[in-house]
mmCIF file of all heavy atoms in Angstrom:
data_model
loop_
_atom_site.group_PDB
_atom_site.id
_atom_site.type_symbol
_atom_site.label_atom_id
_atom_site.label_comp_id
_atom_site.label_asym_id
_atom_site.label_seq_id
_atom_site.Cartn_x
_atom_site.Cartn_y
_atom_site.Cartn_z
ATOM 1 N N HIS A 108 -7.868 15.232 -57.285
ATOM 2 C CA HIS A 108 -8.893 15.260 -56.233
ATOM 3 C C HIS A 108 -8.241 15.157 -54.851
ATOM 4 O O HIS A 108 -8.616 15.887 -53.922
ATOM 5 C CB HIS A 108 -9.880 14.102 -56.421
ATOM 6 C CG HIS A 108 -10.998 14.413 -57.360
ATOM 7 N ND1 HIS A 108 -10.893 14.257 -58.718
ATOM 8 C CD2 HIS A 108 -12.265 14.879 -57.138
ATOM 9 C CE1 HIS A 108 -12.045 14.599 -59.296
ATOM 10 N NE2 HIS A 108 -12.882 14.982 -58.360
ATOM 11 N N ILE A 109 -7.290 14.258 -54.720
ATOM 12 C CA ILE A 109 -6.602 14.087 -53.436
ATOM 13 C C ILE A 109 -5.909 15.389 -53.026
ATOM 14 O O ILE A 109 -6.030 15.849 -51.881
ATOM 15 C CB ILE A 109 -5.580 12.933 -53.514
ATOM 16 C CG1 ILE A 109 -6.306 11.598 -53.702
ATOM 17 C CG2 ILE A 109 -4.708 12.885 -52.262
ATOM 18 C CD1 ILE A 109 -5.373 10.441 -54.029
ATOM 19 N N LEU A 110 -5.182 15.993 -53.964
ATOM 20 C CA LEU A 110 -4.457 17.230 -53.658
ATOM 21 C C LEU A 110 -5.419 18.361 -53.301
ATOM 22 O O LEU A 110 -5.138 19.171 -52.406
ATOM 23 C CB LEU A 110 -3.589 17.629 -54.853
ATOM 24 C CG LEU A 110 -2.422 16.679 -55.167
ATOM 25 C CD1 LEU A 110 -1.701 17.125 -56.438
ATOM 26 C CD2 LEU A 110 -1.458 16.601 -53.995
ATOM 27 N N TYR A 111 -6.576 18.393 -53.992
ATOM 28 C CA TYR A 111 -7.544 19.447 -53.669
ATOM 29 C C TYR A 111 -8.129 19.242 -52.270
ATOM 30 O O TYR A 111 -8.273 20.205 -51.508
ATOM 31 C CB TYR A 111 -8.671 19.485 -54.696
ATOM 32 C CG TYR A 111 -9.671 20.569 -54.366
ATOM 33 C CD1 TYR A 111 -9.375 21.912 -54.614
ATOM 34 C CD2 TYR A 111 -10.885 20.265 -53.754
ATOM 35 C CE1 TYR A 111 -10.259 22.917 -54.280
ATOM 36 C CE2 TYR A 111 -11.782 21.265 -53.420
ATOM 37 C CZ TYR A 111 -11.470 22.584 -53.678
ATOM 38 O OH TYR A 111 -12.347 23.581 -53.326
ATOM 39 N N PHE A 112 -8.456 18.003 -51.912
ATOM 40 C CA PHE A 112 -9.015 17.741 -50.586
ATOM 41 C C PHE A 112 -8.013 18.124 -49.496
ATOM 42 O O PHE A 112 -8.401 18.688 -48.456
ATOM 43 C CB PHE A 112 -9.381 16.257 -50.448
ATOM 44 C CG PHE A 112 -10.537 15.832 -51.322
ATOM 45 C CD1 PHE A 112 -10.755 14.486 -51.596
ATOM 46 C CD2 PHE A 112 -11.398 16.761 -51.878
ATOM 47 C CE1 PHE A 112 -11.817 14.090 -52.396
ATOM 48 C CE2 PHE A 112 -12.463 16.364 -52.690
ATOM 49 C CZ PHE A 112 -12.669 15.028 -52.942
ATOM 50 N N LEU A 113 -6.733 17.830 -49.707
ATOM 51 C CA LEU A 113 -5.709 18.183 -48.714
ATOM 52 C C LEU A 113 -5.547 19.697 -48.622
ATOM 53 O O LEU A 113 -5.423 20.259 -47.518
ATOM 54 C CB LEU A 113 -4.376 17.523 -49.073
ATOM 55 C CG LEU A 113 -4.352 15.987 -48.994
ATOM 56 C CD1 LEU A 113 -3.010 15.457 -49.457
ATOM 57 C CD2 LEU A 113 -4.675 15.497 -47.592
ATOM 58 N N SER A 114 -5.551 20.364 -49.773
ATOM 59 C CA SER A 114 -5.459 21.824 -49.775
ATOM 60 C C SER A 114 -6.672 22.447 -49.085
ATOM 61 O O SER A 114 -6.548 23.413 -48.326
ATOM 62 C CB SER A 114 -5.358 22.327 -51.216
ATOM 63 O OG SER A 114 -5.313 23.741 -51.253
ATOM 64 N N ASP A 115 -7.841 21.859 -49.325
ATOM 65 C CA ASP A 115 -9.075 22.352 -48.708
ATOM 66 C C ASP A 115 -9.061 22.129 -47.197
ATOM 67 O O ASP A 115 -9.607 22.934 -46.438
ATOM 68 C CB ASP A 115 -10.279 21.642 -49.346
ATOM 69 C CG ASP A 115 -11.478 22.570 -49.485
ATOM 70 O OD1 ASP A 115 -11.277 23.800 -49.527
ATOM 71 O OD2 ASP A 115 -12.610 22.065 -49.570
ATOM 72 N N ALA A 116 -8.437 21.036 -46.767
ATOM 73 C CA ALA A 116 -8.320 20.771 -45.329
ATOM 74 C C ALA A 116 -7.448 21.842 -44.663
ATOM 75 O O ALA A 116 -7.763 22.329 -43.563
ATOM 76 C CB ALA A 116 -7.729 19.383 -45.100
ATOM 77 N N ILE A 117 -6.363 22.222 -45.326
ATOM 78 C CA ILE A 117 -5.500 23.287 -44.802
ATOM 79 C C ILE A 117 -6.263 24.605 -44.760
ATOM 80 O O ILE A 117 -6.151 25.381 -43.800
ATOM 81 C CB ILE A 117 -4.224 23.413 -45.663
ATOM 82 C CG1 ILE A 117 -3.408 22.122 -45.576
ATOM 83 C CG2 ILE A 117 -3.389 24.612 -45.210
ATOM 84 C CD1 ILE A 117 -2.236 22.070 -46.521
ATOM 85 N N TRP A 118 -7.084 24.858 -45.809
ATOM 86 C CA TRP A 118 -7.928 26.062 -45.824
ATOM 87 C C TRP A 118 -8.825 26.119 -44.586
ATOM 88 O O TRP A 118 -8.967 27.166 -43.943
ATOM 89 C CB TRP A 118 -8.786 26.061 -47.084
ATOM 90 C CG TRP A 118 -9.898 27.071 -47.093
ATOM 91 C CD1 TRP A 118 -9.828 28.375 -47.467
ATOM 92 C CD2 TRP A 118 -11.254 26.850 -46.666
ATOM 93 N NE1 TRP A 118 -11.053 28.990 -47.316
ATOM 94 C CE2 TRP A 118 -11.945 28.074 -46.822
ATOM 95 C CE3 TRP A 118 -11.942 25.740 -46.175
ATOM 96 C CZ2 TRP A 118 -13.289 28.212 -46.503
ATOM 97 C CZ3 TRP A 118 -13.295 25.883 -45.865
ATOM 98 C CH2 TRP A 118 -13.954 27.109 -46.024
ATOM 99 N N ALA A 119 -9.414 24.983 -44.223
ATOM 100 C CA ALA A 119 -10.302 24.931 -43.060
ATOM 101 C C ALA A 119 -9.535 25.196 -41.769
ATOM 102 O O ALA A 119 -10.027 25.911 -40.873
ATOM 103 C CB ALA A 119 -10.991 23.565 -42.993
ATOM 104 N N LEU A 120 -8.318 24.649 -41.662
ATOM 105 C CA LEU A 120 -7.517 24.844 -40.443
ATOM 106 C C LEU A 120 -7.054 26.293 -40.319
ATOM 107 O O LEU A 120 -6.945 26.824 -39.207
ATOM 108 C CB LEU A 120 -6.315 23.903 -40.461
ATOM 109 C CG LEU A 120 -6.652 22.403 -40.393
ATOM 110 C CD1 LEU A 120 -5.395 21.556 -40.484
ATOM 111 C CD2 LEU A 120 -7.428 22.069 -39.118
ATOM 112 N N VAL A 121 -6.791 26.947 -41.454
ATOM 113 C CA VAL A 121 -6.438 28.373 -41.416
ATOM 114 C C VAL A 121 -7.627 29.197 -40.947
ATOM 115 O O VAL A 121 -7.502 30.090 -40.091
ATOM 116 C CB VAL A 121 -5.970 28.856 -42.818
ATOM 117 C CG1 VAL A 121 -5.892 30.384 -42.859
ATOM 118 C CG2 VAL A 121 -4.620 28.250 -43.153
ATOM 119 N N ASN A 122 -8.803 28.917 -41.457
ATOM 120 C CA ASN A 122 -10.001 29.654 -41.058
ATOM 121 C C ASN A 122 -10.361 29.427 -39.598
ATOM 122 O O ASN A 122 -10.970 30.295 -38.963
ATOM 123 C CB ASN A 122 -11.178 29.262 -41.956
ATOM 124 C CG ASN A 122 -11.190 30.026 -43.264
ATOM 125 O OD1 ASN A 122 -11.682 31.149 -43.341
ATOM 126 N ND2 ASN A 122 -10.624 29.413 -44.298
ATOM 127 N N ASP A 123 -10.002 28.244 -39.071
ATOM 128 C CA ASP A 123 -10.301 27.951 -37.669
ATOM 129 C C ASP A 123 -9.242 28.516 -36.726
ATOM 130 O O ASP A 123 -9.457 28.547 -35.518
ATOM 131 C CB ASP A 123 -10.402 26.442 -37.470
ATOM 132 C CG ASP A 123 -11.061 26.070 -36.154
ATOM 133 O OD1 ASP A 123 -12.209 26.494 -35.921
ATOM 134 O OD2 ASP A 123 -10.405 25.375 -35.338
ATOM 135 N N GLY A 124 -8.105 28.927 -37.270
ATOM 136 C CA GLY A 124 -7.039 29.450 -36.428
ATOM 137 C C GLY A 124 -6.061 28.404 -35.945
ATOM 138 O O GLY A 124 -5.114 28.736 -35.217
ATOM 139 N N VAL A 125 -6.264 27.144 -36.298
ATOM 140 C CA VAL A 125 -5.311 26.099 -35.930
ATOM 141 C C VAL A 125 -3.957 26.405 -36.569
ATOM 142 O O VAL A 125 -2.903 26.258 -35.940
ATOM 143 C CB VAL A 125 -5.817 24.704 -36.372
ATOM 144 C CG1 VAL A 125 -4.768 23.633 -36.080
ATOM 145 C CG2 VAL A 125 -7.130 24.376 -35.679
ATOM 146 N N ILE A 126 -4.002 26.805 -37.817
ATOM 147 C CA ILE A 126 -2.841 27.391 -38.489
ATOM 148 C C ILE A 126 -3.034 28.898 -38.432
ATOM 149 O O ILE A 126 -4.121 29.391 -38.743
ATOM 150 C CB ILE A 126 -2.748 26.916 -39.957
ATOM 151 C CG1 ILE A 126 -2.527 25.398 -40.011
ATOM 152 C CG2 ILE A 126 -1.631 27.636 -40.693
ATOM 153 C CD1 ILE A 126 -2.561 24.823 -41.413
ATOM 154 N N PRO A 127 -2.008 29.644 -37.971
ATOM 155 C CA PRO A 127 -2.183 31.103 -37.803
ATOM 156 C C PRO A 127 -2.800 31.759 -39.036
ATOM 157 O O PRO A 127 -2.328 31.569 -40.157
ATOM 158 C CB PRO A 127 -0.750 31.595 -37.567
ATOM 159 C CG PRO A 127 -0.060 30.416 -36.952
ATOM 160 C CD PRO A 127 -0.659 29.196 -37.602
ATOM 161 N N LYS A 128 -3.846 32.533 -38.786
ATOM 162 C CA LYS A 128 -4.557 33.195 -39.881
ATOM 163 C C LYS A 128 -3.993 34.589 -40.085
ATOM 164 O O LYS A 128 -4.155 35.473 -39.243
ATOM 165 C CB LYS A 128 -6.055 33.267 -39.571
ATOM 166 C CG LYS A 128 -6.909 33.809 -40.725
ATOM 167 C CD LYS A 128 -8.396 33.750 -40.391
ATOM 168 C CE LYS A 128 -9.234 34.234 -41.570
ATOM 169 N NZ LYS A 128 -10.688 34.164 -41.288
ATOM 170 N N ASN A 129 -3.304 34.766 -41.195
ATOM 171 C CA ASN A 129 -2.769 36.076 -41.552
ATOM 172 C C ASN A 129 -2.903 36.258 -43.059
ATOM 173 O O ASN A 129 -3.394 35.359 -43.759
ATOM 174 C CB ASN A 129 -1.316 36.222 -41.096
ATOM 175 C CG ASN A 129 -0.455 35.050 -41.562
ATOM 176 O OD1 ASN A 129 -0.483 34.694 -42.734
ATOM 177 N ND2 ASN A 129 0.296 34.450 -40.631
ATOM 178 N N THR A 130 -2.478 37.390 -43.559
ATOM 179 C CA THR A 130 -2.638 37.678 -44.996
ATOM 180 C C THR A 130 -1.959 36.622 -45.861
ATOM 181 O O THR A 130 -2.525 36.138 -46.849
ATOM 182 C CB THR A 130 -2.059 39.070 -45.336
ATOM 183 O OG1 THR A 130 -2.754 40.055 -44.574
ATOM 184 C CG2 THR A 130 -2.218 39.375 -46.823
ATOM 185 N N PHE A 131 -0.731 36.242 -45.450
ATOM 186 C CA PHE A 131 0.008 35.263 -46.256
ATOM 187 C C PHE A 131 -0.679 33.902 -46.270
ATOM 188 O O PHE A 131 -0.869 33.303 -47.346
ATOM 189 C CB PHE A 131 1.434 35.094 -45.710
ATOM 190 C CG PHE A 131 2.197 33.996 -46.398
ATOM 191 C CD1 PHE A 131 2.764 34.199 -47.653
ATOM 192 C CD2 PHE A 131 2.320 32.736 -45.805
ATOM 193 C CE1 PHE A 131 3.458 33.173 -48.305
ATOM 194 C CE2 PHE A 131 3.003 31.712 -46.444
ATOM 195 C CZ PHE A 131 3.572 31.936 -47.691
ATOM 196 N N SER A 132 -1.083 33.376 -45.102
ATOM 197 C CA SER A 132 -1.674 32.036 -45.041
ATOM 198 C C SER A 132 -3.014 31.976 -45.760
ATOM 199 O O SER A 132 -3.320 30.999 -46.454
ATOM 200 C CB SER A 132 -1.840 31.586 -43.581
ATOM 201 O OG SER A 132 -2.719 32.443 -42.879
ATOM 202 N N VAL A 133 -3.820 33.047 -45.638
ATOM 203 C CA VAL A 133 -5.130 33.065 -46.292
ATOM 204 C C VAL A 133 -4.961 33.094 -47.813
ATOM 205 O O VAL A 133 -5.596 32.323 -48.550
ATOM 206 C CB VAL A 133 -5.966 34.281 -45.825
ATOM 207 C CG1 VAL A 133 -7.235 34.418 -46.661
ATOM 208 C CG2 VAL A 133 -6.327 34.122 -44.351
ATOM 209 N N LEU A 134 -4.089 33.981 -48.297
ATOM 210 C CA LEU A 134 -3.890 34.075 -49.743
ATOM 211 C C LEU A 134 -3.216 32.825 -50.300
ATOM 212 O O LEU A 134 -3.561 32.351 -51.394
ATOM 213 C CB LEU A 134 -3.064 35.314 -50.088
ATOM 214 C CG LEU A 134 -3.769 36.670 -49.898
ATOM 215 C CD1 LEU A 134 -2.831 37.814 -50.238
ATOM 216 C CD2 LEU A 134 -5.033 36.760 -50.737
ATOM 217 N N ALA A 135 -2.267 32.263 -49.571
ATOM 218 C CA ALA A 135 -1.541 31.083 -50.043
ATOM 219 C C ALA A 135 -2.475 29.891 -50.212
ATOM 220 O O ALA A 135 -2.451 29.196 -51.241
ATOM 221 C CB ALA A 135 -0.408 30.738 -49.083
ATOM 222 N N VAL A 136 -3.308 29.637 -49.213
ATOM 223 C CA VAL A 136 -4.163 28.453 -49.289
ATOM 224 C C VAL A 136 -5.273 28.644 -50.322
ATOM 225 O O VAL A 136 -5.679 27.689 -51.005
ATOM 226 C CB VAL A 136 -4.734 28.110 -47.900
ATOM 227 C CG1 VAL A 136 -5.832 29.092 -47.470
ATOM 228 C CG2 VAL A 136 -5.264 26.691 -47.871
ATOM 229 N N ASN A 137 -5.749 29.862 -50.476
ATOM 230 C CA ASN A 137 -6.786 30.098 -51.482
ATOM 231 C C ASN A 137 -6.216 30.132 -52.901
ATOM 232 O O ASN A 137 -6.905 29.764 -53.853
ATOM 233 C CB ASN A 137 -7.543 31.387 -51.165
ATOM 234 C CG ASN A 137 -8.556 31.195 -50.060
ATOM 235 O OD1 ASN A 137 -9.613 30.605 -50.252
ATOM 236 N ND2 ASN A 137 -8.223 31.681 -48.863
ATOM 237 N N TYR A 138 -4.970 30.539 -53.042
ATOM 238 C CA TYR A 138 -4.292 30.436 -54.339
ATOM 239 C C TYR A 138 -4.143 28.964 -54.717
ATOM 240 O O TYR A 138 -4.409 28.565 -55.852
ATOM 241 C CB TYR A 138 -2.917 31.103 -54.264
ATOM 242 C CG TYR A 138 -2.125 30.983 -55.544
ATOM 243 C CD1 TYR A 138 -2.384 31.824 -56.618
ATOM 244 C CD2 TYR A 138 -1.123 30.021 -55.678
ATOM 245 C CE1 TYR A 138 -1.661 31.726 -57.798
ATOM 246 C CE2 TYR A 138 -0.399 29.906 -56.854
ATOM 247 C CZ TYR A 138 -0.659 30.757 -57.911
ATOM 248 O OH TYR A 138 0.046 30.640 -59.080
ATOM 249 N N SER A 139 -3.734 28.156 -53.735
ATOM 250 C CA SER A 139 -3.598 26.710 -53.961
ATOM 251 C C SER A 139 -4.930 26.102 -54.382
ATOM 252 O O SER A 139 -5.000 25.324 -55.349
ATOM 253 C CB SER A 139 -3.086 26.026 -52.690
ATOM 254 O OG SER A 139 -3.127 24.619 -52.805
ATOM 255 N N ASN A 140 -5.993 26.436 -53.690
ATOM 256 C CA ASN A 140 -7.318 25.897 -54.028
ATOM 257 C C ASN A 140 -7.734 26.279 -55.451
ATOM 258 O O ASN A 140 -8.250 25.440 -56.208
ATOM 259 C CB ASN A 140 -8.362 26.412 -53.040
ATOM 260 C CG ASN A 140 -8.427 25.579 -51.777
ATOM 261 O OD1 ASN A 140 -7.729 24.570 -51.650
ATOM 262 N ND2 ASN A 140 -9.243 26.000 -50.826
ATOM 263 N N ALA A 141 -7.510 27.539 -55.820
ATOM 264 C CA ALA A 141 -7.940 28.016 -57.139
ATOM 265 C C ALA A 141 -7.205 27.292 -58.256
ATOM 266 O O ALA A 141 -7.823 26.889 -59.260
ATOM 267 C CB ALA A 141 -7.724 29.527 -57.249
ATOM 268 N N ILE A 142 -5.900 27.099 -58.111
ATOM 269 C CA ILE A 142 -5.115 26.457 -59.173
ATOM 270 C C ILE A 142 -5.413 24.964 -59.238
ATOM 271 O O ILE A 142 -5.606 24.396 -60.324
ATOM 272 C CB ILE A 142 -3.606 26.698 -58.949
ATOM 273 C CG1 ILE A 142 -3.311 28.195 -58.939
ATOM 274 C CG2 ILE A 142 -2.796 25.982 -60.033
ATOM 275 C CD1 ILE A 142 -3.817 28.939 -60.159
ATOM 276 N N ILE A 143 -5.486 24.326 -58.082
ATOM 277 C CA ILE A 143 -5.704 22.872 -58.080
ATOM 278 C C ILE A 143 -7.081 22.517 -58.613
ATOM 279 O O ILE A 143 -7.231 21.541 -59.356
ATOM 280 C CB ILE A 143 -5.507 22.291 -56.659
ATOM 281 C CG1 ILE A 143 -4.038 22.397 -56.250
ATOM 282 C CG2 ILE A 143 -5.947 20.829 -56.602
ATOM 283 C CD1 ILE A 143 -3.747 21.942 -54.831
ATOM 284 N N ILE A 144 -8.114 23.306 -58.281
ATOM 285 C CA ILE A 144 -9.449 22.960 -58.772
ATOM 286 C C ILE A 144 -9.538 23.160 -60.294
ATOM 287 O O ILE A 144 -10.252 22.419 -60.985
ATOM 288 C CB ILE A 144 -10.556 23.770 -58.045
ATOM 289 C CG1 ILE A 144 -11.899 23.064 -58.216
ATOM 290 C CG2 ILE A 144 -10.629 25.202 -58.538
ATOM 291 C CD1 ILE A 144 -12.998 23.595 -57.340
ATOM 292 N N SER A 145 -8.779 24.123 -60.832
ATOM 293 C CA SER A 145 -8.737 24.275 -62.293
ATOM 294 C C SER A 145 -8.055 23.064 -62.933
ATOM 295 O O SER A 145 -8.515 22.540 -63.957
ATOM 296 C CB SER A 145 -7.990 25.558 -62.671
ATOM 297 O OG SER A 145 -8.714 26.701 -62.269
ATOM 298 N N LEU A 146 -6.963 22.603 -62.323
ATOM 299 C CA LEU A 146 -6.265 21.427 -62.833
ATOM 300 C C LEU A 146 -7.122 20.174 -62.685
ATOM 301 O O LEU A 146 -7.073 19.266 -63.513
ATOM 302 C CB LEU A 146 -4.936 21.247 -62.097
ATOM 303 C CG LEU A 146 -3.858 22.278 -62.454
ATOM 304 C CD1 LEU A 146 -2.717 22.244 -61.444
ATOM 305 C CD2 LEU A 146 -3.331 22.027 -63.860
ATOM 306 N N LEU A 147 -7.926 20.140 -61.629
ATOM 307 C CA LEU A 147 -8.820 18.996 -61.414
ATOM 308 C C LEU A 147 -9.825 18.880 -62.559
ATOM 309 O O LEU A 147 -10.007 17.800 -63.138
ATOM 310 C CB LEU A 147 -9.531 19.172 -60.070
ATOM 311 C CG LEU A 147 -10.416 18.044 -59.530
ATOM 312 C CD1 LEU A 147 -10.553 18.184 -58.012
ATOM 313 C CD2 LEU A 147 -11.811 18.068 -60.143
ATOM 314 N N PHE A 148 -10.457 20.001 -62.913
ATOM 315 C CA PHE A 148 -11.466 19.942 -63.972
ATOM 316 C C PHE A 148 -10.840 19.877 -65.361
ATOM 317 O O PHE A 148 -11.474 19.391 -66.301
ATOM 318 C CB PHE A 148 -12.433 21.109 -63.841
ATOM 319 C CG PHE A 148 -13.404 20.919 -62.712
ATOM 320 C CD1 PHE A 148 -13.282 21.638 -61.540
ATOM 321 C CD2 PHE A 148 -14.406 19.977 -62.806
ATOM 322 C CE1 PHE A 148 -14.156 21.439 -60.483
ATOM 323 C CE2 PHE A 148 -15.297 19.770 -61.755
ATOM 324 C CZ PHE A 148 -15.172 20.498 -60.592
ATOM 325 N N TYR A 149 -9.616 20.333 -65.479
ATOM 326 C CA TYR A 149 -8.851 20.100 -66.712
ATOM 327 C C TYR A 149 -8.636 18.596 -66.903
ATOM 328 O O TYR A 149 -8.809 18.065 -68.005
ATOM 329 C CB TYR A 149 -7.523 20.849 -66.613
ATOM 330 C CG TYR A 149 -6.349 20.211 -67.305
ATOM 331 C CD1 TYR A 149 -6.123 20.415 -68.661
ATOM 332 C CD2 TYR A 149 -5.439 19.433 -66.590
ATOM 333 C CE1 TYR A 149 -5.022 19.835 -69.284
ATOM 334 C CE2 TYR A 149 -4.351 18.857 -67.201
ATOM 335 C CZ TYR A 149 -4.149 19.058 -68.546
ATOM 336 O OH TYR A 149 -3.066 18.483 -69.164
#
């Protein structure tokens, strides 16, 4: 849960532009969210 919340926080900062929004950053943070949430429910 902690790791997912931190990953989700980075996702929000990428969408806001605080962290540069580009193809790599968008895909990287959403890949992280997808894997961590699966591990969370596992």
Side-chain angles (χ1 to χ4, degrees):
H108 274 86
I109 293 170
L110 293 176
Y111 180 76
F112 292 162
L113 294 176
S114 178
D115 216 24
I117 297 172
W118 168 85
L120 295 177
V121 168
N122 277 276
D123 195 58
V125 176
I126 297 174
K128 186 175 183 179
N129 51 50
T130 300
F131 174 79
S132 62
V133 171
L134 289 178
V136 74
N137 282 285
Y138 177 80
S139 171
N140 275 357
I142 301 306
I143 292 176
I144 200 169
S145 293
L146 288 166
L147 186 158
F148 285 106
Y149 148 84

